[in-house]
Amino acid sequence: MKQLFLCILLMVWVCACTTGKKEQHAKLAASLAYAGSNAAALKDVIAHYSRSPGDSLKLQAALFLIENMPGKGSTKYTAVTNRGAFNTDLFKGAAIGIDSLNKYKKKMEDSLQCGLIRYVDPTFLADARVMSAKWLIENIDYAFKAWELPWARSLTFDEFKELILPYRVQIEPLQHWRKQFFENSGWILQRAGDTIDRIKIATIINDSLSRYYHYIHDAITYFPGSFTVDQMKMTHGGRCEDLNMLVGYWLRAVGIPTASEFTSYWANSNYGGHSWLSVLDTTGKFVPLNAVYDPPVRNALPFKGARLAKAYRNTYHIEDGADISKTGSFSNYIDVSDAYLKVINYTFTSRPPSSQQIYLGVLNGEFWKPLEMKSVKTGDSITFYSINTGVIYAPLIVLDAGAAKTQTVGPPFFVSAKGQIQYLKENKQTTTNVSFDIAQLSGSLYQRKCQVVYWDHSAQRWLPAGTPGILRDDPSKLQKERITKMFTFAGVPEHAIYRLINAEKVQDDKSWGRPFIYDEELKEFVDY
């Protein structure tokens, strides 16, 4: 046995060296150390594929998964009440639906008189520390079966490893899905017929699942983490990440190369960010899709009126040299903004130079939110790469990451459709009139006292300007009748970023509305 094990390790070392990357041996050793007592199971997988020269490619696939496994995992929560632990499974019965689940939760809370059922004490379950050899071998074997399908055969090994082989889409719990989905994919093959068009096959899968599953984010905010496939069968839906998991599993199970992508914050919304899937087309381009909602359409973004400031793609591969000794979850991603957007680079000069890291951020909610992006600092100047046009940005520093508290360190600016920079620094010495197209306003402002506020860089907050006014016209009626009528406020500082709010209401992130600016290219006030 000892000689066999030494032979296996030698083969692993040779495999690593023949790739031209001697550091791979160190990366494997670090991953096995990360796995702790479960390293034996991962070594069993290596041994399994080391027995036959015919399995050399599967051995390389196994090494790829194991070497890049640190940081991958899911989070488990403990259900508690005012009376202690709650051990009853809420997900009971077949196809209970989200309404039934919520009613059952409320019934349990009332009958036990225990207060709300809450989910606490998050515990990270690292894949490398819990995965069995049998589970991983099954995943690898069935991934190779998928690679043999007609539309997948043209994939390179690197494409296969990154887009078919991975056993998870995001941060969902580990599940036995690959074999089950592959062996029950006859309906997909039947509907696909003779086509080998990956986009058409992805559309078949997405459209079919959309008949049964839907988006249920606001209906289950109390449940943390991600659903499992079985839980989704009961609820008939889930959040973005849950839907991505389900559709992503089906796509990868039948050899459709699929990546998970995301944006941290929308550029024209107060509702955080979004995640979606993308399919590698035979043209070499990725085509995004919104799981169970918007099918993939070549040369199009499936986000309707939502605007991206940045786009990122999750990768299974961990960059060489990365610290993989971390005990919790950490993700790997690349910036793919330039694949989807018309982008420019922007250089900012810090005066005085800031000792803290400077980000570019967008307005999402009341305050500015930081975006991750490639940047290069030269002296006092920082160049930010691949930012979208048609978006308002601001350079900022993060004061408190936990509280999402930031501070702008330079004037906000707008990037026009032509890539021109328009700075938005309020001029309190000169006032102007600000007009809003009522048909474009929120119906929640109808018959309310409205107030224009502007971003004050010095005060680091929104300040009122001009005189409040009552919105007497119904925006939805004017929109329906296609009537243009303006709502005008006088005495407002020039060149600022403006918002129109309900002055009778205490504001939250959602109620702040979207900013208005005077677009110097269009020569009119525009909502962004």
Side-chain angles (χ1 to χ4, degrees), residues 141-157:
D141 286 347
Y142 274 86
F144 272 80
K145 289 178 184 291
W147 194 14
E148 295 170 2
L149 293 170
W151 45 80
R153 290 174 190 160
S154 62
L155 290 170
T156 67
F157 186 47

Side-chain angles (χ1 to χ4, degrees), residues 257-503:
T258 305
S260 169
E261 300 181 344
F262 69 96
T263 187
S264 306
Y265 300 100
W266 289 118
N268 62 340
S269 168
N270 294 336
Y271 289 83
H274 183 51
S275 61
W276 61 91
L277 299 174
S278 66
V279 171
L280 179 63
D281 200 357
T282 50
T283 61
K285 293 183 178 180
F286 282 86
V287 182
L289 69 91
N290 271 328
V292 313
Y293 275 99
D294 301 305
V297 177
R298 292 180 174 95
N299 301 313
L301 291 176
F303 308 129
K304 298 182 173 65
R307 179 175 287 273
L308 292 171
K310 297 293 292 182
Y312 311 94
R313 179 176 302 139
N314 290 306
T315 65
Y316 188 88
H317 172 73
I318 300 173
E319 289 297 322
D320 295 333
D323 180 11
I324 64 172
S325 63
K326 302 174 184 177
T327 57
S329 172
F330 59 92
S331 58
N332 319 283
Y333 56 86
I334 57 175
D335 189 334
V336 294
S337 303
D338 59 354
Y340 299 134
L341 310 171
K342 180 183 177 182
V343 298
I344 67 164
N345 300 331
Y346 171 75
T347 299
F348 167 73
T349 302
S350 175
R351 298 188 182 92
S354 174
S355 60
Q356 293 180 263
Q357 182 175 355
I358 298 179
Y359 298 86
L360 281 188
V362 292
L363 274 173
N364 197 289
E366 180 177 1
F367 295 109
W368 301 88
K369 304 297 194 302
L371 299 169
E372 291 286 348
M373 66 184 72
K374 179 185 176 183
S375 62
V376 174
K377 187 171 184 178
T378 307
D380 298 344
S381 298
I382 305 175
T383 299
F384 297 95
Y385 290 86
S386 299
I387 65 173
N388 193 14
T389 59
V391 175
I392 299 172
Y393 296 93
L396 57 86
I397 57 174
V398 176
L399 301 178
D400 184 343
K405 189 175 182 181
T406 61
Q407 174 184 313
T408 58
V409 293
F413 61 93
F414 171 66
V415 184
S416 75
K418 296 180 180 179
Q420 299 300 309
I421 302 297
Q422 176 184 334
Y423 289 98
L424 302 167
K425 180 70 169 66
E426 72 280 3
N427 183 351
K428 300 177 186 178
Q429 308 305 316
T430 306
T431 61
T432 186
N433 294 339
V434 173
S435 297
F436 304 93
D437 182 350
I438 297 174
Q440 303 303 315
L441 298 179
S442 169
S444 64
L445 297 176
Y446 180 44
Q447 297 288 13
R448 302 297 181 186
K449 182 169 72 172
C450 298
Q451 172 74 61
V452 171
V453 295
Y454 70 97
W455 177 254
D456 188 297
H457 173 63
S458 300
Q460 289 291 307
R461 59 193 177 97
W462 298 93
L463 295 180
T467 304
I470 305 294
L471 181 58
R472 306 291 186 186
D473 298 281
D474 184 351
S476 60
K477 182 179 179 181
L478 295 183
Q479 188 177 48
K480 184 177 180 180
E481 298 176 355
R482 298 184 179 181
I483 296 175
T484 299
K485 190 173 182 180
M486 307 307 288
F487 192 22
T488 302
F489 294 80
V492 176
E494 283 189 333
H495 306 308
I497 305 174
Y498 313 101
R499 277 174 153 167
L500 186 63
I501 63 171
N502 179 354

Side-chain angles (χ1 to χ4, degrees), residues 69 71 88 103 134 186 189-190 220 390 401 412 441 447 460 514:
M69 202 173 284
T88 303
K103 288 177 182 176
K134 181 181 178 181
L189 306 181
Q190 184 178 19
I220 194 164
L441 298 179
Q447 297 288 13
Q460 289 291 307
R514 292 305 303 162

